[in-house]
Amino acid sequence: DEDLLELQNKVKEIAQTEILNLTGINNTELKYMYGAPNLNKLTICDNNFIKLSRALYNWGMWLYKHDKTESAIQVFEYAVSCKVDISGIYTTLAAIYSDRKQLDKIENLKAAAADLNTLMKDSLLKSLENFIPS
């Protein structure tokens, strides 16, 4: 499928760049940690991480929507391991795990989400709670 190849190639293309997850770190902190002269390069690396995050999400969703669930799980689990903070990755994985009665994996997702350095963390954790039966 041409769409699938395009999504995969986008991830491969981004993977060849310098990538750094700077989610939740402001410019003042970056200047202190890495020095002001490095701010432009850090911004480029962070933008590459954002592009990678979106590309992994789009690839995983394409797989999921085309009933390639095992492959979608692999892509989404990789994204979670990279600390991507796109809520759709976590909620889609949680839905898959819930359908499969893999509640321990939902707990692992919650732990990964709790470790994110993002403003959306609380909202994401509440969403994940919905996949765990009372």
Side-chain angles (χ1 to χ4, degrees):
D1 185 280
E2 282 185 39
D3 292 334
L4 177 58
L5 286 175
E6 184 177 328
L7 291 166
Q8 290 171 327
N9 287 335
K10 182 70 172 171
V11 171
K12 289 177 185 175
E13 174 187 318
I14 297 166
Q16 301 303 313
T17 66
E18 291 180 303
I19 301 170
L20 187 59
N21 181 356
L22 299 174
T23 305
I25 303 173
N26 66 40
N27 283 350
T28 302
E29 293 169 321
L30 288 175
K31 287 177 188 176
Y32 177 75
M33 292 166 40
Y34 299 102
N38 294 313
L39 195 55
N40 286 339
K41 179 158 181 117
L42 292 169
T43 300
I44 292 168
C45 293
D46 186 49
N47 285 337
N48 289 338
F49 178 78
I50 293 166
K51 290 175 188 175
L52 177 66
S53 299
R54 290 180 185 143
L56 289 170
Y57 172 74
N58 291 334
W59 182 17
M61 288 306 294
W62 188 97
L63 292 165
Y64 180 67
K65 289 176 181 176
H66 288 84
D67 296 321
K68 298 182 182 308
T69 307
E70 293 303 319
S71 294
I73 290 170
Q74 288 182 312
V75 171
F76 287 147
E77 287 179 344
Y78 176 72
V80 168
S81 76
C82 293
K83 298 186 183 285
V84 168
D85 68 347
I86 297 176
S87 62
I89 290 171
Y90 293 80
T91 56
T92 304
L93 257 180
I96 293 168
Y97 294 155
S98 180
D99 289 345
R100 294 175 174 206
K101 309 290 189 245
Q102 296 174 310
L103 301 182
D104 58 320
K105 290 192 175 191
I106 297 173
E107 290 295 336
N108 292 341
L109 268 183
K110 283 177 47 185
D115 198 34
L116 292 174
N117 188 16
T118 179
L119 295 173
M120 59 158 276
K121 178 175 25 182
D122 292 337
S123 171
L124 176 55
L125 289 169
K126 285 180 186 176
S127 295
L128 293 175
E129 280 294 325
N130 294 328
F131 293 97
I132 300 174
S134 302

